[in-house]
């Protein structure tokens, strides 16, 4: 299947206008759902903004020695995967523009290979994004429920090993899914993976949330507490934002994949699939929003960035003791 | 035809819009020219006649469903904050603090035995413990007024120890990981670190990494 299709693709690559298109337009009905087109400039802007933002996070974590912790390693992993998604989209648009201008040969072997590599990259970054979110949730869970043993459980080496395993698995899955892309099992396993991961992460966070609620009730007895209601409302808002963003950005695309597989000729499905570019833009937006809700919530990371850009004297009186960081964070908040 | 025209993700996704886009327009070719349009000719076009519902019904239904789900999740989480036994903290907070501290000073031993109650189930243990605290408060009211001005750092450190012990035990109950020896030794070690950093009254409870982390993460 793939060699035939590849040759067909390459035949189309060099052509800007295909005469038989007019026939097809005559065949299609007047009231069909026209493709909702998002301008190339919007795609490029969002993709490049995503790349830059995630790059900032990576640079901040690398520069500041205090941020060499497992928690920030997982946030970095998320940034890397978001960056890869944006990079993929940028590359794809660049290739299309090059094809339109005629710089790429239509039948080149190179183009097929680039195509395959980019598909693998896409799946790799999608899976990497989800697994990074899972790793962040698990790390926070261990921080809260195994607080005393945390530094023994989650050492830096173990975090690196976990990340290596995650990315190796994602790379393998990416290559496997690209090779077996026409199988139904691929599509089903891909779309089922996301809800399962989501539910699992949701359970972790809800358990943490319940614990925070019970602690807030205790703290309510102390004089200077803010009151449990305010703390828990903020927690509810935070959790809703986490999952709302995840669902809104990935959900439409996954539904698209499912409809594409199971009802390509249904008019309702076809109308849904006509908004594909909007769905792809949402995935790019996810790459922009994720650093804001994960990385930039850390005061230390924010101050690192401020120091890098504004060159102002931040307050670097953090005790290097890790517990000192927790205390300092509380006092700052 | 033998081979499916859709294959993976981007190809899957990209080829879909080829089918229904207005193909005479140049703009339709602006993205992903190298899609499987050729094969879609064999499938034939999608007929839009005789649609019962609005043609974008899946789009609308999906987004409405998603919004309803997110709002529902938010309300569930907010309701979780409101349910649960209300904490009996009608007393003044400072008074409460003194209650706890005197409870510690006078009833240090019973707290140890209370650990037995705290093991089995989280909720039951909490309610038992609160009941115990309330009882002690009632018994101790008379002594409170005398003890209040006499708070010194010894009692205050004890309180930190006991309270952190309470919280750690609570954690253990919640996670059902009862490793008493480990908790005790760690509590002692953590207490020594806390001693170095404590400069305030028992508010320092909030600085325990557990509560700290949970609040930090969820705030």
């Amino acid at each position: 299947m793939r060699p035939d299709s590849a040759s067909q693709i390459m035949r189309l690559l060099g052509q800007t206008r295909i005469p038989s298109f007019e026939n097809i337009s005559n065949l299609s009905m007047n009231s069909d759902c026209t493709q909702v087109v998002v301008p190339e400039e919007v795609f490029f802007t969002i993709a490049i903004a995503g790349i830059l933002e995630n790059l900032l996070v990576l640079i901040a974590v690398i520069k500041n020695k205090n941020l060499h912790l497992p928690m920030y390693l997982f946030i970095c992993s998320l940034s890397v995967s978001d960056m890869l998604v944006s990079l993929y989209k940028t590359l794809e648009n660049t290739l299309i523009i090059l094809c339109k201008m005629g710089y790429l040969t239509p039948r080149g072997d190179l183009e097929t290979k680039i195509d395959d590599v980019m598909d693998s990259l896409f799946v790799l970054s999608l899976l990497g994004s989800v697994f990074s979110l899972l790793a962040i949730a698990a790390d926070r869970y261990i921080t809260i429920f195994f607080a005393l043993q945390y530094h023994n459980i989650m050492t830096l080496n173990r975090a690196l090993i976990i990340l290596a395993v995650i990315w190796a698995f994602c790379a393998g899955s990416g290559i496997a899914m690209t090779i077996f892309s026409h199988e139904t099992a691929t599509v089903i396993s891909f779309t089922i993976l996301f809800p399962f991961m989501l539910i699992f992460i949701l359970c972790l966070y809800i358990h943490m949330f319940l614990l925070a609620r019970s602690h807030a009730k205790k703290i309510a007895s102390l004089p200077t507490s803010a009151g449990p209601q305010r703390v828990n409302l903020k927690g509810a808002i935070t959790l809703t934002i986490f999952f709302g963003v995840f669902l809104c950005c990935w959900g439409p695309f996954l539904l698209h994949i499912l409809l594409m597989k199971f009802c390509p000729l249904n008019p309702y499905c076809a109308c849904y699939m006509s908004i594909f570019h909007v769905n792809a833009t949402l995935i790019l937006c996810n790459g922009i929003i994720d650093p804001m809700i994960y990385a930039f919530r850390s005061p230390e990371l924010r101050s690192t960035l401020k120091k890098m850009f504004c060159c102002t004297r931040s307050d670097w009186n953090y005790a290097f003791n890790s517990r000192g960081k927790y205390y300092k964070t509380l006092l700052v908040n | 035809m033998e081979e499916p025209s859709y294959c993976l993700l981007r190809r899957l996704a990209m080829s879909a819009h080829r089918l229904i886009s207005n193909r005479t327009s140049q703009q339709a070719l602006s993205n992903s020219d190298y899609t499987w349009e050729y094969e879609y000719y064999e499938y034939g076009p999608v007929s839009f006649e005789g649609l019962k519902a609005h043609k974008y019904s899946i789009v609308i239904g999906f987004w409405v469903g998603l919004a309803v789900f997110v709002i529902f999740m938010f309300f569930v989480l907010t309701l979780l904050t409101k349910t649960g036994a209300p904490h009996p903290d009608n007393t003044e907070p400072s008074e409460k603090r003194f209650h706890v501290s005197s409870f510690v000073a006078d009833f240090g031993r019973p707290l140890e035995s209370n650990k037995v109650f705290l093991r089995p189930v989280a909720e039951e243990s909490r309610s038992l413990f609160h009941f115990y605290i309330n009882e002690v408060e009632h018994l101790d009211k008379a002594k409170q007024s005398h003890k209040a001005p006499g708070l010194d750092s010894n009692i205050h450190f004890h309180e930190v120890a006991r309270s952190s012990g309470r919280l750690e035990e609570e954690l253990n109950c919640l996670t059902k990981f009862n490793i008493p020896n480990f908790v005790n030794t760690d509590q002692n070690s953590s207490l020594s670190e806390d001693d170095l950093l404590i400069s305030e009254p028992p508010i320092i409870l909030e600085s325990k990494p557990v509560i700290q982390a949970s609040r930090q993460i969820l705030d």
Side-chain angles (χ1 to χ4, degrees), chain B:
Chain B
M1 61 177 244
E2 306 74 17
E3 55 198 22
S5 68
Y6 38 85
C7 55
L8 177 72
L9 303 172
R10 184 179 50 80
R11 292 176 185 151
L12 269 178
M14 290 303 189
S15 52
H17 74 260
R18 288 283 135 240
L19 175 67
I20 40 186
S21 63
N22 187 2
R23 290 182 177 83
T24 53
S25 88
Q26 188 79 6
Q27 198 189 11
L29 298 170
S30 64
N31 294 322
S32 60
D33 292 327
Y34 47 97
T35 53
W36 311 91
E37 301 158 39
Y38 186 84
E39 297 163 36
Y40 264 110
Y41 300 173
E42 301 164 35
Y43 266 133
V46 176
S47 158
F48 282 87
E49 279 179 351
L51 290 184
K52 295 190 194 58
H54 190 262
K55 58 185 179 176
Y56 282 111
S57 53
I58 293 188
V59 179
I60 297 169
F62 173 76
W63 282 105
V64 168
L66 195 62
V68 164
F69 177 73
V70 170
I71 293 173
F72 169 73
M73 191 169 67
F74 176 70
F75 278 124
V76 163
L77 289 173
T78 324
L79 277 175
L80 278 179
T81 71
K82 291 187 172 37
T83 56
H87 200 65
D89 45 1
N90 297 330
T91 63
E92 257 181 44
S94 55
E95 204 182 312
K96 183 95 177 192
R97 193 189 341 157
F98 295 141
H99 288 173
V100 173
S101 61
S102 72
F103 158 76
V104 165
D106 294 337
F107 296 95
R109 284 293 159 217
L111 185 54
E112 248 73 51
S113 61
N114 205 25
K115 286 181 192 172
V116 174
F117 295 112
L118 288 177
R119 283 295 137 66
V121 177
E123 289 306 314
E124 288 174 20
S125 68
R126 242 185 302 209
S127 58
L128 269 174
F129 189 70
H130 290 326
F131 173 68
Y132 192 87
I133 291 275
N134 289 340
E135 267 198 53
V136 169
E137 280 173 27
H138 292 313
L139 289 172
D140 231 20
K141 266 206 165 80
K143 293 183 189 175
Q144 275 330 305
S145 44
H146 301 298
K147 284 239 187 285
L151 261 189
D152 60 1
S153 56
N154 290 336
I155 296 180
H156 143 246
F157 282 143
H158 278 301
E159 180 185 13
V160 171
R162 298 309 171 200
S163 305
S164 61
R166 231 183 293 147
L167 291 166
E168 296 307 332
E169 276 145 12
E170 190 114 5
L171 279 180
N172 284 339
C173 292
L174 281 170
T175 60
K176 310 240 187 312
F177 278 93
N178 298 326
I179 312 174
N181 297 332
F182 190 84
V183 170
N184 285 338
T185 53
D186 261 17
Q187 178 192 321
N188 292 337
S189 63
S190 70
L191 185 56
S192 60
E193 287 182 38
D194 289 346
D195 285 354
L196 298 173
L197 293 160
I198 287 174
S199 57
E200 289 167 312
I203 295 303
I204 205 69
L205 277 175
E206 295 182 359
S207 310
K208 291 300 288 181
V210 169
I211 315 175
Q212 175 52 39
S214 66
R215 289 188 70 188
Q216 181 187 352
I217 284 167
L218 291 174
D219 279 351

Side-chain angles (χ1 to χ4, degrees), chain A residues 22-47:
Chain A
E22 278 102 14
N23 295 339
I24 295 302
S25 71
N26 291 338
L27 287 172
S28 64
M29 315 311 278
N30 291 334
S31 64
D32 65 352
C33 299
T34 55
Q35 175 72 23
V36 175
V37 176
V38 177
E40 296 278 353
E41 293 81 17
V42 174
F43 265 131
F44 268 120
T45 313
I46 296 179

Side-chain angles (χ1 to χ4, degrees), chain A residues 13-27:
Chain A
L13 260 182
Q15 302 174 2
T16 54
R17 250 176 102 95
I18 298 177
S20 51
F21 276 173
E22 278 102 14
N23 295 339
I24 295 302
S25 71
N26 291 338
L27 287 172

